């Protein structure tokens, strides 16, 4: 057995002999190296061995697993044979450290982010959302574990302390004109602060995911991001921008993703597709018809709006509209008409921004938007039309978040497998 200490992490490795050399001969080599040279060496430098098991623990987890006050007190006497009973006292503690794939979700919306994790094999045991219609959609499609409530007012003891916490909390205080420090104290970022406080108050939390607008990474020349890292310094945090088109969605939507972990750093997943391989609007809309839920949920344009729409070619936008009927709002995504053979632009509220069908003079239906978010047709949105349009606009494409979920699942399974292997390790 070899124990390596790297900063805040302890790696325990179990080895078996690689050939038929007697154990006593191997032990004598170890005695000679450690007794005479008095130098720390890697076991593979002095013995012909093959690694059989490995476990990665934080200092805190290692102390909990071993039952010692500190790992510094552990002593290994290489002059005595170690038997399988030597690690028997670890088994109960190590089994308690295994992490179930259970999630508490905050700012859950209609449940699209949760859906991504469900598809990856996780179990969402708690969800919290303020909007009544979004909660109705969540309950109809996912489950009754969702609570309608305000995170700033709810009794925090009602939030299930699951080992994984996810959320996409809104925050508006991102302008460089704001204070360059204490972004988390900005009243406009109160909801984000409550999300972070919920993570800190959950001693069981091993992994968290925060999804937000890309601007959060650069606000205040990166100082907002630094504040988040500092406040959650118990976690190893990876943060970056991901594009849903890279992960197979027919929508070019960029989001900032934070993954915090207490079981070793979890990297953001790498792109799956090259730009020339991106999924197109045509592919996403294939097979749509009016009997599919939410396909007929679409706002009807007024006469002047219809006239504006008719002036916009594929790929065009508000600036394609003649000056005499052009609306005052002139953001480049307004009156944006999608193109059949490209991914869509970022889908915001299709009614407010007037995002146009590739060839029909109308905005996108709720179902068409859902297709661009990778939401299956059996997922039915509920509530008022305006609410359904906002619910989907607030979502994160399923394929993007599912790739994040799968990266987290792989890390958790590796951690749990290491615990299992360590429990079964035969030491001689």
């Amino acid at each position: 057995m070899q124990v390596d200490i790297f900063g805040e992490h302890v790696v325990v490795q179990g080895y078996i002999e690689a050939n038929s050399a007697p154990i006593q001969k191997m032990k004598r080599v170890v005695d000679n190296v450690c007794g005479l040279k008095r130098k720390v060496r890697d076991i593979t430098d002095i013995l012909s061995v093959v690694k059989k098991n490995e476990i990665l623990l934080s200092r805190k987890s290692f102390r909990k697993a071993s039952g010692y006050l500190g790992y510094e007190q552990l002593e290994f006497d290489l002059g005595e044979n170690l038997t399988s009973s030597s690690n028997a006292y670890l088994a109960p503690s190590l089994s308690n450290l295994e992490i179930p794939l259970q999630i508490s979700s905050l700012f859950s919306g209609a449940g699209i982010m949760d859906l991504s994790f469900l598809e990856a094999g996780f179990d969402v045991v708690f969800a919290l959302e303020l909007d009544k219609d979004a909660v109705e959609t969540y309950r109809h499609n996912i489950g009754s574990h969702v609570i309608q409530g305000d995170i700033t007012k709810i009794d925090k003891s009602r939030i299930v302390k699951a080992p994984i916490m996810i959320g996409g909390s809104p925050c508006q205080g991102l302008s460089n004109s704001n204070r360059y420090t204490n972004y988390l104290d900005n009243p406009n970022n109160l909801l984000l602060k409550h999300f972070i406080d919920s993570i800190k108050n959950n001693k069981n939390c091993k992994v968290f995911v925060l999804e937000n607008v890309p601007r959060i990474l650069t606000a205040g020349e990166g100082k907002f991001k630094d504040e988040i890292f500092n406040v959650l310094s118990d976690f190893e945090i990876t943060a970056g921008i991901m594009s849903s088109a890279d992960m197979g969605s027919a929508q070019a939507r960029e989001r900032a993703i934070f993954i915090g972990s207490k079981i070793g750093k979890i990297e953001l997943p790498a792109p799956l597709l090259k730009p020339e391989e991106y999924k197109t609007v045509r592919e996403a809309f294939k097979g749509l018809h009016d009997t599919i839920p939410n396909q007929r949920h679409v706002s009807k344009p007024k006469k002047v709006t219809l006239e504006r729409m008719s002036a916009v070619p594929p790929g065009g936008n508000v600036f394609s509209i003649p000056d005499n009927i052009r609306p005052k709002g002139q953001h480049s995504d307004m009156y944006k008409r999608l193109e059949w053979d490209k991914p869509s632009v970022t889908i915001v509220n299709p009614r407010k921004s007037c995002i146009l069908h590739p060839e029909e003079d109308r905005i996108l239906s709720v179902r068409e938007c859902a297709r661009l978010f990778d939401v299956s047709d059996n997922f039915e949105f509920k509530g008022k039309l305006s609410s359904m349009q906002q619910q989907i606009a607030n979502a994160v494409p399923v394929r993007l978040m599912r790739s994040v979920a799968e990266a987290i699942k792989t890390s958790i399974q590796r951690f749990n497998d290491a615990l299992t292997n360590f429990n079964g390790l035969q030491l001689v």
Side-chain angles (χ1 to χ4, degrees):
M1 181 173 72
Q2 174 169 290
V3 178
D4 294 325
I5 300 173
F6 303 100
E8 291 298 315
H9 293 90
V10 180
V11 180
V12 182
Q13 300 165 328
Y15 290 82
I16 59 174
E17 56 181 320
N19 52 43
S20 58
I23 287 293
Q24 291 303 316
K25 180 179 179 182
M26 296 169 68
K27 185 175 78 65
R28 284 196 298 273
V29 175
V30 176
D31 287 341
N32 290 336
V33 170
C34 295
L36 297 177
K37 295 188 176 181
R38 299 307 228 181
K39 184 177 181 180
V40 177
R41 299 287 298 275
D42 189 283
I43 192 171
T44 58
D45 292 338
I46 57 176
L47 296 173
S48 178
V49 292
V50 176
K51 186 188 294 183
K52 181 175 178 62
N53 300 284
E54 178 174 298
I55 176 173
L56 171 65
L57 296 171
S58 66
R59 292 189 187 193
K60 186 180 295 184
S61 295
F62 192 69
R63 287 195 293 269
K64 180 179 177 182
S66 65
Y68 282 79
L69 293 176
Y71 68 83
E72 296 87 351
Q73 297 180 26
L74 286 174
E75 296 180 0
F76 298 96
D77 183 358
L78 295 176
E80 300 292 335
N81 285 337
L82 295 174
T83 66
S84 60
S85 62
S86 300
N87 70 327
Y89 67 94
L90 287 175
S93 294
L94 288 175
S95 63
N96 289 336
L97 291 174
E98 291 188 2
I99 302 171
L101 299 178
Q102 295 178 338
I103 290 174
S104 279
S105 166
L106 305 179
F107 306 99
S108 307
I112 309 304
M113 187 172 179
D114 295 18
L115 182 65
S116 304
F117 279 82
L118 289 169
E119 289 187 2
F122 289 78
D123 180 20
V124 182
V125 296
F126 175 86
L128 178 66
E129 171 55 37
L130 177 61
D131 183 76
K132 180 180 177 181
D133 287 346
V135 169
E136 183 183 359
T137 296
Y138 193 110
R139 285 204 180 109
H140 178 79
N141 294 282
I142 298 179
S144 58
H145 55 269
V146 64
I147 292 176
Q148 182 187 353
D150 185 341
I151 195 171
T152 66
K153 299 176 182 178
I154 191 173
D155 181 353
K156 295 300 190 291
S157 66
R158 297 182 68 188
I159 299 176
V160 176
K161 291 179 171 54
I164 305 149
M165 301 189 74
I166 65 174
S169 52
C171 57
Q172 289 80 38
L174 298 177
S175 171
N176 275 336
S177 62
N178 293 327
R179 290 170 295 170
Y180 274 16
T181 57
N182 300 323
Y183 273 87
L184 290 175
D185 293 332
N186 187 320
N188 289 325
N189 298 328
L190 178 64
L191 298 179
L192 175 59
K193 189 173 188 301
H194 274 276
F195 177 73
I196 290 174
D197 288 344
S198 297
I199 294 172
K200 293 181 66 177
N201 292 335
N202 178 4
K203 302 305 180 184
N204 296 326
C205 185
K206 299 296 185 291
V207 178
F208 75 82
V209 178
L210 168 63
E211 172 272 329
N212 219 287
V213 295
R215 184 77 181 84
I216 196 172
L217 297 177
T218 56
E221 298 179 351
K223 292 181 180 178
F224 193 178
K225 180 192 74 173
D226 292 342
E227 281 189 32
I228 296 173
F229 274 57
N230 291 335
V231 173
L232 294 171
S233 59
D234 287 350
F235 294 83
E236 288 188 86
I237 302 177
T238 304
I241 296 174
M242 293 184 63
S243 169
S244 54
D246 287 342
M247 312 316 293
S249 299
Q251 178 186 172
R253 189 184 191 92
E254 291 190 337
R255 304 301 291 174
I257 305 294
F258 293 74
I259 303 177
S261 169
K262 291 183 177 179
I263 59 171
K265 194 168 186 179
I266 303 175
E267 300 292 347
L268 298 183
L272 299 177
L273 300 178
K274 299 175 182 178
E276 61 269 23
E277 301 171 322
Y278 284 168
K279 188 175 181 180
T280 66
V281 172
R282 188 186 302 278
E283 293 174 277
F285 288 3
K286 185 177 180 180
L288 273 176
H289 51 80
D290 285 351
T291 63
I292 293 176
N294 303 128
Q295 175 59 10
R296 299 182 68 179
H297 285 128
V298 56
S299 299
K300 296 181 179 179
K302 298 178 180 179
K303 183 177 179 180
V304 65
T305 304
L306 186 60
E307 188 177 358
R308 291 166 178 163
M309 289 178 177
S310 64
V312 181
N317 59 16
V318 66
F319 299 109
S320 305
I321 300 171
D323 292 344
N324 62 318
I325 57 172
R326 185 182 299 167
K328 292 182 179 179
Q330 296 185 4
H331 189 277
S332 61
D333 281 347
M334 285 196 66
Y335 282 89
K336 181 69 176 181
R337 189 180 291 279
L338 304 187
E339 298 177 77
W340 279 120
D341 297 317
K342 292 182 179 180
S344 82
V345 295
T346 297
I347 299 298
V348 291
N349 189 307
R351 174 181 53 83
K352 292 179 180 179
S353 289
C354 215
I355 300 177
L356 305 182
H357 185 274
E359 60 185 41
E360 298 179 23
D361 288 335
R362 61 171 177 82
I363 68 168
L364 299 180
S365 70
V366 172
R367 176 52 51 193
E368 287 164 344
C369 291
R371 286 279 189 100
L372 297 173
F373 280 85
D374 318 304
V375 178
S376 61
D377 291 346
N378 60 4
F379 188 103
E380 187 172 359
F381 290 85
K382 297 290 185 178
K384 303 181 295 295
L385 175 57
S386 59
S387 176
M388 289 189 285
Q389 290 167 332
Q390 192 59 49
Q391 287 174 47
I392 190 62
N394 290 343
V396 186
V398 171
R399 290 177 185 269
L400 188 157
M401 289 310 305
R402 191 171 65 205
S403 69
V404 172
E406 288 169 348
I408 293 170
K409 183 179 180 181
T410 297
S411 293
I412 291 175
Q413 288 178 331
R414 185 183 298 119
F415 179 85
N416 289 343
D417 288 346
L419 291 175
T420 300
N421 291 336
F422 190 74
N423 276 339
L425 183 62
Q426 296 297 309
L427 301 175
V428 292

